């Protein structure tokens, strides 16, 4: 392995761990844990290929320090979850980027996740239906085995045929992937909430529709949601030991 490759691995580790510390200090503990774990693994990969004893000692010391802090954060998160007091808030600024569904939901997805409830009154228009499709695709690619997705939304009174045909097609497509889509409509829902059966509850002020319309079909951000500008909104994350259906 070349020196440049090792330097690149080290730079990646430093970047991820810097982000972990920033999230830790801002109270976004679950997100910080994910970054700590990724950064520590990167440093361990560097340690495996470094031959200089003084550098190896330096890396071991750094790894131990980050591992100790990660364990403290994990214990703190577990205690807050046990007490039913876990709450963190993420504020997404106007025009911010880097908030794809993969980035936003990854810290709360675990291998045990099998069932998801989505309550969002605005899964009706074409771009909103695509948002829900993207969300389902994110779950399929994640390190979990989701078998059931429940969607509670409102019907599009202006053009219910497009909505119903799109969701029917998605239901069939998900079924081919071994996932059941349970679809229900309500005329009274207003709140937006996503609930995982591992206890995490994510409430986004704008629901899944927090992205701005791209300037065109060939504009940066049209395909990659990490590059898509967002509308200002807040995301509140809670944890409960008792999973409830919506």
């Amino acid at each position: 392995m070349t020196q440049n490759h090792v330097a690149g691995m080290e730079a990646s580790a430093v970047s991820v761990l810097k982000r972990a510390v920033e999230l830790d200090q801002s109270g976004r503990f679950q997100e910080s844990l994910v970054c700590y774990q990724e950064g520590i693994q990167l440093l361990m990969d560097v340690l495996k290929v470094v031959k200089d004893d003084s550098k190896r000692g330096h890396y071991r010391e750094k790894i131990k320090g980050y591992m100790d802090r990660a364990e403290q954060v994990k214990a703190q998160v577990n205690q807050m979850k046990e007490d039913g007091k876990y709450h963190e808030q993420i504020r997404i600024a106007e025009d911010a980027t880097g908030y794809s569904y993969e980035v936003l939901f990854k810290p709360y997805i675990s291998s045990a996740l099998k069932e998801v409830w989505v309550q969002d009154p605005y899964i009706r228009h074409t771009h909103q239906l695509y948002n829900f499709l993207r969300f389902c695709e994110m779950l399929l690619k994640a390190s979990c085995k989701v078998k059931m997705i429940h969607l509670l939304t409102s019907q599009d009174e202006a053009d219910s045929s497009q909505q119903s045909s799109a969701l029917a097609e998605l239901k069939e497509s998900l079924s081919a992937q071994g996932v059941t889509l349970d679809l229900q409509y309500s005329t009274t829902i207003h709140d937006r909430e996503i609930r995982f059966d591992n206890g995490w509850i994510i409430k986004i002020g704008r629901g899944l529709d927090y992205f701005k319309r791209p300037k065109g079909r060939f504009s940066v951000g049209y395909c990659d949601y990490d590059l898509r500008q967002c509308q200002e909104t807040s995301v509140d994350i809670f944890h409960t030991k008792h999973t409830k259906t919506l």
Side-chain angles (χ1 to χ4, degrees):
M1 187 175 292
T2 66
Q3 192 65 34
N4 286 341
H5 192 181
V6 174
M9 290 170 60
E10 183 178 12
S12 296
V14 169
S15 177
V16 173
L17 289 166
K18 181 181 178 182
R19 180 62 175 158
V21 172
E22 290 172 351
L23 290 167
D24 187 352
Q25 292 175 343
S26 63
R28 291 163 63 175
F29 299 121
Q30 188 66 23
E31 289 178 275
S32 74
L33 272 178
V34 174
C35 289
Y36 276 129
Q37 290 164 359
E38 291 181 358
I40 289 168
Q41 184 58 56
L42 286 168
L43 275 187
M44 291 179 72
D45 290 341
V46 173
L47 179 62
K48 291 176 184 176
V49 297
V50 169
K51 304 300 182 183
D52 185 274
D53 287 340
S54 63
K55 287 185 177 180
R56 289 177 64 84
H58 170 74
Y59 287 128
R60 286 197 186 96
E61 185 178 340
K62 286 290 184 182
I63 289 169
K64 183 180 184 305
Y66 286 121
M67 287 182 72
D68 288 346
R69 179 53 191 163
E71 285 299 318
Q72 292 171 2
V73 172
K74 186 176 181 180
Q76 186 176 353
V77 168
N78 287 338
Q79 189 60 56
M80 287 190 291
K81 286 162 63 175
E82 184 68 25
D83 296 340
K85 295 179 179 179
Y86 191 96
H87 173 227
E88 68 177 84
Q89 185 177 79
I90 302 169
R91 293 188 179 276
I92 300 177
E94 187 77 5
D95 295 329
T97 57
Y99 287 98
S100 66
Y101 297 144
E102 284 83 0
V103 169
L104 190 61
F105 292 101
K106 180 182 177 180
Y108 314 101
I109 293 177
S110 63
S111 58
L113 180 61
K114 294 181 179 179
E115 196 165 1
V116 176
W117 291 264
V118 179
Q119 177 177 302
D120 192 325
Y122 299 108
I123 308 294
R124 302 188 298 195
H125 302 310
T126 301
H127 73 283
Q128 295 165 343
L129 290 161
Y130 274 123
N131 285 340
F132 183 62
L133 170 60
R134 289 289 186 103
F135 176 78
C136 293
E137 289 174 338
M138 178 273 298
L139 290 173
L140 288 174
K141 293 191 300 180
S143 57
C144 61
K145 297 180 180 179
V146 170
K147 295 299 181 184
M148 175 77 74
I149 301 172
H150 304 267
L151 173 62
L152 178 63
T153 189
S154 60
Q155 254 179 328
D156 185 355
E157 297 178 0
D159 185 10
S160 61
S161 60
Q162 175 189 260
Q163 180 190 30
S164 59
S165 63
L167 290 173
E169 183 178 341
L170 176 55
K171 183 172 184 175
E172 183 178 351
S173 182
L174 284 170
S175 179
Q177 298 288 331
V179 179
T180 300
L181 175 61
D182 170 42
L183 177 61
Q184 297 184 40
Y185 294 103
S186 170
T187 58
T188 57
I189 64 166
H190 178 269
D191 293 342
R192 300 153 177 87
E193 178 175 297
I194 294 170
R195 187 182 294 265
F196 294 159
D197 70 351
N198 58 9
W200 290 108
I201 304 165
I202 299 97
K203 297 186 177 185
I204 309 173
R206 293 180 179 270
L208 291 174
D209 192 12
Y210 58 87
F211 296 102
K212 287 193 168 184
R213 184 189 299 273
K215 292 183 172 66
R217 289 183 298 168
F218 295 96
S219 299
V220 170
Y222 185 84
C223 297
D224 190 337
Y225 275 28
D226 271 323
L227 301 174
R228 180 83 67 89
Q229 289 183 314
C230 298
Q231 301 185 72
E232 182 178 356
T233 193
S234 60
V235 184
D236 287 280
I237 299 104
F238 305 90
H239 189 275
T240 176
K241 292 189 292 183
H242 306 289
T243 303
K244 300 176 183 177
T245 56
L246 296 171

